[in-house]
Amino acid sequence: MEKRTETPNPEILQQQISKQEQQIAELSAKLKWYEEQFRLAQQKRFGASSEKTHPDQLEMNLFNEAEVLAASAPQEPDVETVTYSRKKTSGNRETKLDQFPVETIHYALPESEQFCSCCGGGLHEMSTETRNEIAVIPAEVKVIRHVRQVYACRQCERKEIRTPVVTAPMPKPIQPGSLASPSIVAHVMSQKYVDSQPLYRQEQQFARLGLTLSRQTLANWMIYGSEQWLSLLTDRMRAHLLSKDILHADETTLQVLQEPGKSASSSSYMWLYRTGRTDAPIVLYDYRSTRGGEHPRNFLEGFSGYLHVDGYSGYHKVKDVTLVGCWAHARRKFDEALKALPPTQDKTTTAAQQGLAFCNQLFAIERELVKAAAEERYTIRQERSLPLLDAYLVWLKQQRSRALPKSKLGEAITYSINQWEKLTVFLKDGRLEIDNNRSERAIKPFVIGRKNWLFANTPRGAKASATIYSVIETAKENGLNPFKYLQYLFEQLPQLADPKDPYALDRLLPWSSSLPLTCRIFKQE
């Protein structure tokens, strides 16, 4: 008996084909995504880290590209011209030395040699020759022994029942019962939080000077100094910060080994809040165990106004604020999409390059307005930036359906569309900035320091680090020498009659005109 072969159902075959085509498309999209990630990782590892665009691309206008290129062509010279430039340095080296003390050494002939070798007559001083050298005095350790006199009355000792005792005044110590001085605590803090020197290296440095100080002792000094004294200043700085109407915020990770309820490898967070370009610089760090939006909400309680942020959704929990988006983040997405393209592909006509060009034009306008007044900046933005943004939004909507959502280009387009309401807020006020780079620059010293000392042992130590960083970074932004300023604070704060007196603390803040000139850094023009 002949066996029959059943004919496949065409509908079932078509379904199988459609399913396979869908699987192939999904696998191709995944492969393309992995290739993009690989190329981007290779570029980040081996390529230049700068996001700068070639100057020719910065000036490229999407609406009159041909006209710009034609007008920018240089005139051909009739003859070859050779030019050169030389930087003038005469006298500049000496002017940079004016701020340093001078030790003068005189060299003269002894009187027995002050005679002419020709005729034997006496010599007179005709002129002098001067040579400058820079000498460095290495760090040294010395003991400051505070001795104060105690006085009594001889007459009362002989005739009275009680004898008055008078003790000479003496400055209060930074930490009672400790060897810590204002200078050594300031030194340890500035070494770690300005120069990124971990405590174990400082321990070794002190040992080479003949001083045995354990890193635990150094850590205790810093924690005590931050909790007892510097926190008084950061509380006042926060009060001033919340009184402003334009702020910036950012956050980064921090590893805390002994965080309750968390493993040693988990991430905690250091939050940053700072003032904008129109106010005196205030930079505050705030350590928290999570990235929850309740942390900026609680820290900024009482603040109302504009808040520059990145795309993190947690900032939406902050009340009474208008969030200002960051165009640097939007631009970075297109820059990454461009770098993720295959090396052999022509990048000049890609959608990623077009999106980058839009962002570049916005930043070019802002560079022209760096020194402009807020009113002028607002007007020019309405005239030039607003039409550009309208064209950019039309382009984004056109490209959204053409780009794979999970590709780098798709992510860049989606980011700009989702953040559009925040990205356009900078048009409302000429004091606002187009990006949140101000907070990124402020948090960078912490990120650099973290690469050296890697982690904090306890939440208490992390909070102390946040306090110290706040004082140091605010001091630097106000033109102060961090070490000298910290030393001055530790000399003055213990002497205050009321350590919580707002008026007394305000006189010690980094922007106070009451600070001595020794705390300031004078830059040569």
Side-chain angles (χ1 to χ4, degrees), residues 423-524:
L423 287 174
T424 55
V425 171
F426 79 99
L427 295 173
K428 297 181 179 180
D429 194 319
R431 298 173 300 163
L432 299 177
E433 300 179 53
I434 194 173
D435 54 43
N436 195 30
N437 286 348
R438 188 172 295 272
S439 65
E440 290 193 3
R441 289 192 299 269
I443 209 169
K444 189 174 182 179
F446 171 80
V447 176
I448 294 175
R450 183 184 59 195
K451 292 180 179 179
N452 289 273
W453 42 262
L454 301 178
F455 53 81
N457 284 320
T458 64
R460 189 183 176 197
K463 292 178 181 178
S465 295
T467 300
I468 299 170
Y469 263 120
S470 298
V471 174
I472 285 178
E473 291 305 314
T474 304
K476 288 165 59 178
E477 293 240 2
N478 282 274
L480 302 182
N481 181 307
F483 165 73
K484 293 182 178 179
Y485 177 59
L486 286 172
Q487 182 179 3
Y488 178 74
L489 290 180
F490 291 133
E491 290 171 350
Q492 298 299 317
L493 285 169
Q495 317 312 320
L496 295 180
D498 180 6
K500 296 186 179 181
D501 179 13
Y503 176 76
L505 291 174
D506 284 350
R507 292 175 59 85
L508 297 175
L509 291 175
W511 58 89
S512 172
S513 59
S514 301
L515 297 177
L517 294 178
T518 54
C519 293
R520 305 190 182 279
I521 300 176
F522 294 97
K523 297 181 180 180
Q524 295 289 342

Side-chain angles (χ1 to χ4, degrees), residues 155-221:
Q155 185 173 344
C156 290
E157 286 178 343
R158 292 192 298 265
K159 299 180 179 180
E160 303 295 336
I161 298 177
R162 293 182 177 180
T163 301
V165 175
V166 179
T167 304
M170 182 174 64
K172 295 179 181 179
I174 180 177
Q175 185 173 350
S178 169
L179 290 173
S181 69
S183 63
I184 196 169
V185 177
H187 174 77
V188 173
M189 287 184 175
S190 60
Q191 281 286 97
K192 178 172 181 179
Y193 297 104
V194 178
D195 298 324
S196 304
Q197 288 286 344
L199 293 184
Y200 79 89
R201 292 182 187 169
Q202 295 193 52
E203 180 183 33
Q204 296 169 353
Q205 290 172 352
F206 282 122
R208 288 193 292 269
L209 294 172
L211 179 63
T212 302
L213 285 174
S214 68
R215 68 194 73 172
Q216 290 76 20
T217 298
L218 302 180
N220 290 335
W221 285 355

Side-chain angles (χ1 to χ4, degrees), residues 259-301:
E259 183 77 63
K262 298 177 66 176
S263 65
S265 59
S266 61
S267 294
S268 299
Y269 286 84
M270 189 70 80
W271 296 78
L272 176 133
Y273 309 92
R274 64 155 303 148
T275 52
R277 62 176 150 197
T278 58
D279 297 305
I282 304 176
V283 182
L284 292 178
Y285 291 80
D286 184 46
Y287 160 74
R288 296 296 167 182
S289 60
T290 68
R291 202 190 182 195
E294 67 275 8
H295 300 312
R297 179 192 64 198
N298 296 337
F299 189 92
L300 297 174
E301 184 177 359

Side-chain angles (χ1 to χ4, degrees), residues 48-68:
S49 60
S50 174
E51 298 177 5
K52 292 183 178 180
T53 305
H54 191 277
D56 293 341
Q57 297 175 357
L58 290 176
E59 300 298 330
M60 188 67 69
N61 190 307
L62 294 177
F63 307 110
N64 60 348
E65 178 179 347
E67 289 81 359
V68 171

